[in-house]
């Protein structure tokens, strides 16, 4: 199993450009999550999904959109990138429930100039 | 609101045990305690979790106080590879994990 994979690993954008980050998992997990991590900080939840076709807002959703068209994929979109969105983005997945752990991807380092 | 309190940093000598404390005084009866760690330049990885009883796995042990208001992650023999940020997280129902700043563990050779 590949676990949770993220594409791309690195990206540099100019202010105003758009891009989509892809997260894929092969563990048949219902729940998927997008977090961002700024230097020296813990992870903050952007959006999450509790199943195919569903999405919900997390702590810091502004400026991002998500889609979960297939169970194994969770896409994070930036329509008009801003320097404040420079961060490392982590995707995670789980079976759900307080007794199941989350599995994290390796992260995407995004810089917005 | 992470709802847990951890020291910002701790230091340990290599091959000695490490006890990482966590306070969660407002924990409810159905909240699990999860521990994750994040090595430099990597995503978080699961370490251990528990509800009421002490738990052991190949990575660590988790000691949960009888009143469940605190817990301790125990690394039995710290290695240089254990240097990471350790997060203690309350987890209830199907709500996503909320990460605080965690404890940065330094291991000295």
């Amino acid at each position: 199993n590949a676990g949770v994979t993220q594409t791309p690993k690195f990206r540099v954008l100019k202010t105003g450009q758009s891009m989509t980050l892809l997260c894929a998992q092969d563990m048949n997990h219902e729940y998927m999550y997008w977090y961002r991590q700024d230097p020296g900080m813990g992870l903050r939840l952007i959006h999450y999904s509790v199943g195919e076709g569903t999405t919900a807002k997390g702590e810091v959703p502004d400026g991002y959109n998500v889609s979960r068209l297939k169970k194994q994929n969770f896409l994070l979109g930036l329509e008009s990138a801003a320097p404040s969105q420079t961060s490392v983005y982590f995707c995670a997945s789980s079976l759900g429930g307080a007794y199941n752990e989350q599995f994290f991807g390796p992260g995407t380092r995004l810089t917005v100039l | 609101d992470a709802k847990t309190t951890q020291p910002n940093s701790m230091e340990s000598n290599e091959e000695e045990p490490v006890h990482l404390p966590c306070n969660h005084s407002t924990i409810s009866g159905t909240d699990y305690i999860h521990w994750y760690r994040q090595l430099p330049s990597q995503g978080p990885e699961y370490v251990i979790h528990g509800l009421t009883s002490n738990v052991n796995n190949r990575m660590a042990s988790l000691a949960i106080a009888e009143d469940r208001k605190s817990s301790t992650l125990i690394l039995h023999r710290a290695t240089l590879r254990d240097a990471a940020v350790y997060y203690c997280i309350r987890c209830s129902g199907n709500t996503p994990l909320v990460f605080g700043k965690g404890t940065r563990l330094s291991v000295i050779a």
Side-chain angles (χ1 to χ4, degrees), chain A residues 31 33 35 37 40-45 48 50 59 90 95-107 109, chain B residues 1 30-34 36 38 41-46 49 87 91-101 104:
Chain A
Y31 289 66
Y33 315 85
Y35 294 87
Q37 185 174 36
M41 305 291 288
L43 281 72
R44 292 184 294 169
L45 183 67
Y48 65 102
V50 301
E59 179 187 358
F90 291 102
L95 287 169
Y99 40 83
N100 287 309
E101 68 262 40
Q102 285 187 197
F103 295 82
F104 285 82
R109 186 173 297 274
Chain B
D1 180 10
T30 55
D31 288 354
Y32 278 74
I33 301 301
H34 284 235
Y36 287 76
Q38 188 173 21
S41 301
Q42 294 189 27
E45 65 173 344
Y46 166 80
H49 74 280
Y87 298 97
C91 191
S92 60
N94 290 317
T95 57
L97 299 179
V98 176
F99 285 79
K101 293 188 177 180
R104 182 173 298 277

Side-chain angles (χ1 to χ4, degrees), chain B residues 2-74:
Chain B
K3 300 179 182 177
T4 63
T5 303
Q6 300 178 253
N8 290 334
S9 62
M10 292 184 64
E11 203 172 78
S12 172
N13 292 320
E14 196 177 13
E15 298 191 4
E16 290 188 356
V18 181
H19 290 232
L20 298 166
C22 179
N23 285 321
H24 29 80
S25 58
T26 60
I27 194 169
S28 71
T30 55
D31 288 354
Y32 278 74
I33 301 301
H34 284 235
W35 283 83
Y36 287 76
R37 73 178 186 181
Q38 188 173 21
L39 280 65
S41 301
Q42 294 189 27
E45 65 173 344
Y46 166 80
V47 177
I48 200 167
H49 74 280
L51 182 61
T52 55
S53 305
N54 293 345
V55 185
N56 300 294
N57 65 21
R58 65 175 180 80
M59 290 181 70
S61 295
L62 176 60
I64 301 173
E66 196 169 336
D67 63 6
R68 301 208 331 120
K69 293 184 176 181
S70 65
S71 60
T72 302
L73 179 70
I74 303 165

Side-chain angles (χ1 to χ4, degrees), chain A residues 56-69:
Chain A
K57 293 181 180 180
E59 179 187 358
V60 288
D62 294 342
Y64 305 95
N65 56 74
V66 288
S67 64
R68 183 98 181 269
L69 299 179

